[in-house]
Every structure is written in C-alpha cells, then in structure tokens.
C-alpha cells in the first residue's frame, strides 16, 4: 500500500530550532521529495523512510489523509519496542548506525550531573530511491529539476501530483 508513494521532507524545522536555541546551523535548510518506502543499496531490501522531524506530506493524499498516515507510521516506529536498540552509555562508548534505515534520538534518562559529548560524522550518501533500477539510473539533472519544482509539487491537488511528476520526468 505504501510502496510507490512519495513524501515531502524538509530540514527547515531542525535548522530553525537550532538557530532559535543558539545552536549551530550547519547547512541551509533543504526541501526534498523522497520515496516513502526506499530501497537500501547494501541490504537490497525496502524499508520505511519516514521521520517525524522531517517528513511533512505524502504526495497525492489530502492533507488529513497524509497527516493521519504519517502519524500512524511514526507512532509504529516509535512504539514498537521490538524494533528498538538502546545503547548503555559508559566511558569510551562509541555507537554507529546506518542513517538510511535507523531513526535515532537521544534520551535524557540519567540522574547524575555529567556532561556527555556527541560527535556526528555524516558521510555524503546516495539519494533515497524506491528501487534498484532508480538507484542504477540516478541522474543529477533530474534531482535538480525536482528541487526547482518542489513548491509546485506541494501545492498541486492530490489527484494530479503523480501526473505532474511523470510530466516533469521526476
């Protein structure tokens, strides 16, 4: 049911929140359209690609439908304890994860007044794609075209979104 749907993602809230709280805005906020179910190039499997902080609207659905489905998916991810891993922090602990398939968050669950430091290293990765074919045929010009039309895509009536994407060849 979800495979083939596209979702608008944005980093505007993350950048704005960092700026508002005196943090560092490491890069300009960006808006993108990604598959809701992405294909992982190493695992060769399909995985959900949705996160509360970034996923804004499922294209082709009414706002109410999109909001309800995104809420359901985020709740499923966050409340399914069998899908979670929890690291026990001790001095010298290092945790690595594959950001393409992991939703991560810090939990402030300690009582002692200690400082913890986190260093984020994010390598340049491939663009999220829906299939191996799309991965193998990825075209940077198509990617730039999608960026140029993001505002049009987001305001297009639900019934016409995928027609517009096909017309634009994105």
């Amino acid at each position: 049911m979800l495979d083939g749907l596209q979702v608008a993602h944005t980093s505007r809230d993350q950048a704005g929140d960092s700026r508002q709280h005196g943090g560092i805005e490491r890069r300009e906020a960006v808006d993108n359209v990604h598959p809701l179910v992405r294909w992982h190039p190493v695992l060769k499997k399909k995985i959900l690609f949705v996160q509360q902080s970034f996923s804004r609207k499922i294209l082709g659905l009414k706002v109410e439908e999109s909001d309800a489905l995104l809420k359901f998916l985020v709740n499923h991810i966050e409340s399914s304890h069998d899908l979670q891993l929890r690291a026990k922090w001790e001095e010298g602990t290092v945790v690595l994860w594959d950001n393409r398939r992991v939703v991560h968050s810090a939990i402030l669950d300690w009582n002692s007044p200690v400082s913890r430091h986190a260093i984020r290293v994010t390598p340049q990765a491939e663009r999220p794609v829906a299939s191996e074919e799309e991965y193998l045929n990825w075209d940077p010009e198509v990617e730039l075209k999608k960026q140029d039309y993001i505002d049009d895509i987001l305001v297009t009536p639900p019934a016409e979104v995928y027609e517009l994407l096909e017309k634009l060849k994105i």
Side-chain angles (χ1 to χ4, degrees):
M1 180 179 99
L2 303 175
D3 200 6
L5 294 177
Q6 302 267 336
V7 64
H9 288 258
T10 184
S11 63
R12 292 181 188 276
D13 293 345
Q14 182 187 48
D17 187 55
S18 181
R19 205 174 35 250
Q20 181 180 352
H21 291 94
I24 298 168
E25 188 176 339
R26 290 178 173 81
R27 59 189 170 277
E28 274 189 51
V30 294
D31 298 312
N32 287 295
V33 173
H34 297 306
L36 182 61
V37 177
R38 76 173 284 183
W39 180 80
H40 194 289
V42 176
L43 299 175
K44 309 284 192 230
K45 293 181 179 181
K46 294 202 171 204
I47 53 178
L48 279 176
F49 192 59
V50 61
Q51 188 174 9
Q52 184 174 9
S53 303
F54 298 93
S55 305
R56 287 295 170 264
K57 183 177 188 310
I58 298 173
L59 305 183
L61 299 182
K62 295 176 185 173
V63 172
E64 299 81 9
E65 295 167 338
S66 173
D67 289 351
L69 186 51
L70 287 173
K71 183 178 178 180
F72 170 80
L73 293 172
V74 167
N75 184 58
H76 169 69
I77 291 166
E78 291 179 351
S79 63
S80 295
H81 296 288
D82 60 321
L83 302 176
Q84 297 178 11
L85 174 125
R86 190 163 184 155
K88 181 179 181 193
W89 292 99
E90 297 174 354
E91 187 173 334
T93 298
V94 175
V95 178
L96 301 172
W97 61 85
D98 183 345
N99 224 33
R100 296 171 291 190
R101 64 185 188 124
V102 173
V103 176
H104 56 85
S105 68
I107 298 173
L108 305 176
D109 63 351
W110 65 90
N111 295 324
S112 57
V114 296
S115 294
R116 295 182 179 186
H117 300 279
I119 299 170
R120 181 178 181 152
V121 178
T122 308
Q124 186 69 26
E126 75 282 340
R127 181 193 189 289
V129 294
S131 66
E132 184 173 14
E133 180 184 354
E134 188 179 349
Y135 178 78
L136 295 173
N137 296 316
W138 182 80
D139 182 345
E141 290 181 26
V142 172
E143 189 67 29
L144 291 172
K145 184 188 267 189
K146 194 176 278 188
Q147 291 289 349
D148 290 342
Y149 289 98
I150 188 81
D151 291 330
D152 295 334
I153 292 167
L154 292 175
V155 298
T156 300
E160 300 169 20
V161 168
Y162 289 96
E163 186 178 308
L164 174 64
L165 292 173
E166 182 62 33
K167 180 177 155 189
L168 297 172
K169 300 288 186 218
I170 54 179

